[in-house]
């Protein structure tokens, strides 16, 4: 009787595990399908709003233009959240594709500067961009690299009301890395001193802001799925997936993301990418 009872329990446990795996797969498939289906009508809404603003709504009709512009802004925000869900579903299903190609990091950072400077200055903030030393070559996926930086810079702008947002590119040649003192990797249980030594040459892209900062106890869970820091999430919107997706994309690129922050003093996020060749400037 005891043996039969144990066998029945094992069989039930096995069936429950199979059912759970199937349910998780159905969830991933549903998220991927619905995210894709929802993006198409949003593209149409944004396109129609652009047409109205450019051709049909008179420039002197401030009220009508404000309504259309508000509708477009909401559609863009919704499109961004749906894109996060679609990327999350791809990563969860192991279907996120990355390419390997030579990438000029300084060129990508210059592109990010051109993209974000108008938004940053319109918010009354200063933007600073610098490059320290000769930057090694990087073999990576430029599109995914830009996606990570858009998220990190976008968060910096979102949570900064006064001061500045800065980008700094610097090489890390391995061994001691004083530039990363006090940083913590975006991984559960990561120690604050963990990035102090690196196995090989890296290129670090630092995104620094003078915003609200992050509490120490929140840093441990900062990049968990659907996680938002309570002190900064109120009224900000979003899915809570941006940093989670960025962390996973960085890992797919062979890199990592680290953070250093104090409440009221701002935050610095460091994207570390493995170097793949000699310095770009020297090669030029």
């Amino acid at each position: 009787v005891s043996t039969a009872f144990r066998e029945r329990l094992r069989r039930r446990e096995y069936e429950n595990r199979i059912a759970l795996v199937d349910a998780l797969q159905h969830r991933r498939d549903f998220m991927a399908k619905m995210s894709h289906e929802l993006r198409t009508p949003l593209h149409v809404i944004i396109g129609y709003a652009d047409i109205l603003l450019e051709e049909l709504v008179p420039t002197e009709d401030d009220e009508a233009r404000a309504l259309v512009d508000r509708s477009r802004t909401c559609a863009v925000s919704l499109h961004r959240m749906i894109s996060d869900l679609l990327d999350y579903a791809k990563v969860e299903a192991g279907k996120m594709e990355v390419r390997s190609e030579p990438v000029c990091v300084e060129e990508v950072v210059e592109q990010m500067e051109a993209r974000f400077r108008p938004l940053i200055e319109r918010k009354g903030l200063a933007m600073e961009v610098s490059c320290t030393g000769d930057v090694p070559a990087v073999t990576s996926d430029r599109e995914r690299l830009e996606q990570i930086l858009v998220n990190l810079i976008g968060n910096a702008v979102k949570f900064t009301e006064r001061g500045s947002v800065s980008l700094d590119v610097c090489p890390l040649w391995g061994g001691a890395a004083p530039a990363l003192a006090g940083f913590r990797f975006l991984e559960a249980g990561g120690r604050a001193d963990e990035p102090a030594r690196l196995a090989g040459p890296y290129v670090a892209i630092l995104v620094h802001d003078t915003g609200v900062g992050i509490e120490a106890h929140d840093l441990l869970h900062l990049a968990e799925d659907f996680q938002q820091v309570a002190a900064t999430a109120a009224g900000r919107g979003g899915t809570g997936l941006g940093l989670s997706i960025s962390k996973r994309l960085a890992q797919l690129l062979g890199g990592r993301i680290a953070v250093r922050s104090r409440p009221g003093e701002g935050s610095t996020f460091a994207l570390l990418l493995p170097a793949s060749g000699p310095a770009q400037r020297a090669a030029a």
Side-chain angles (χ1 to χ4, degrees):
V1 173
S2 176
T3 301
F5 180 72
R6 285 197 299 269
E7 286 296 326
R8 191 158 53 247
L9 286 180
R10 278 197 291 266
R11 189 181 307 113
R12 185 179 302 171
E13 181 183 2
Y14 173 77
E15 292 172 351
N16 289 339
R17 288 183 178 181
I18 294 297
L20 178 60
V21 170
D22 289 341
L24 290 174
Q25 186 59 48
H26 286 316
R27 187 200 67 175
R28 297 188 189 106
D29 293 342
F30 173 79
M31 289 181 62
K33 181 178 180 180
M34 290 307 299
S35 299
H36 178 75
E37 293 296 328
L38 288 171
R39 288 206 300 183
T40 301
L42 281 172
H43 277 303
V44 176
I45 294 172
I46 295 170
Y48 283 157
D50 288 336
I51 293 173
L52 288 172
L53 290 172
E54 294 174 6
E55 302 178 9
L56 300 179
V57 180
T59 55
E60 62 273 9
D61 193 343
D62 294 336
E63 184 177 355
R65 293 186 68 84
L67 288 173
V68 175
D69 186 64
R70 215 162 13 231
S71 299
R72 184 188 186 281
T73 300
C74 291
V76 170
S77 178
L78 183 57
H79 182 274
R80 187 180 304 115
M81 289 189 285
I82 290 173
S83 295
D84 283 347
L85 290 173
L86 181 59
D87 287 339
Y88 175 78
K90 286 182 178 179
V91 172
E92 280 285 286
K95 296 180 180 179
M96 178 65 75
E97 298 180 356
V98 295
R99 297 176 297 174
S100 295
E101 58 184 355
V103 176
C104 177
V105 175
E106 293 172 287
E107 185 179 296
V108 173
V109 170
E110 289 173 0
Q111 182 178 345
M112 292 296 105
E113 177 187 10
R115 177 172 181 173
F116 279 95
R117 183 174 288 278
L119 173 63
I120 291 174
E121 293 181 346
R122 189 160 58 244
K123 197 173 179 180
L125 306 173
M127 185 174 190
E128 303 171 359
V129 179
S130 63
C131 180
T132 305
D134 293 328
V135 180
V138 167
T139 300
S140 188
D141 186 318
R142 178 166 183 147
E143 180 181 354
R144 300 306 174 192
L145 172 57
E146 292 176 357
Q147 184 176 350
I148 296 171
L149 292 179
V150 164
N151 181 266
L152 296 181
I153 301 171
N155 281 346
V157 177
K158 183 190 301 184
F159 297 119
T160 304
E161 298 301 329
R162 64 178 65 89
S164 64
V165 174
S166 62
L167 303 178
D168 183 32
V169 183
C170 63
L172 301 175
W173 298 108
L180 297 180
F183 276 78
R184 181 193 301 275
F185 283 126
L186 291 186
E187 296 163 9
R191 298 187 303 273
D193 61 344
E194 193 173 1
R197 299 190 66 83
L198 298 171
Y202 281 82
V203 174
I205 306 175
L206 306 177
V207 180
H208 175 72
D209 65 68
T210 57
V212 296
I214 305 168
E215 296 283 353
H217 59 81
D218 286 324
L219 291 175
L220 292 174
H221 312 287
L222 190 59
E224 292 180 359
D225 297 341
F226 304 102
Q227 177 70 32
Q228 289 183 313
V229 178
T232 59
R236 305 285 184 171
T239 59
L241 286 172
L243 282 176
S244 172
I245 294 172
S246 296
K247 177 190 70 174
R248 299 186 188 202
L249 288 177
Q251 291 171 342
L252 288 175
L253 299 178
R256 302 175 83 177
I257 297 178
V259 60
R260 179 179 62 195
S261 183
R262 288 185 179 179
E265 298 182 10
S267 305
T268 302
F269 285 83
L271 171 60
L272 308 179
L273 297 173
S276 59
Q280 292 167 357
R281 290 179 179 177

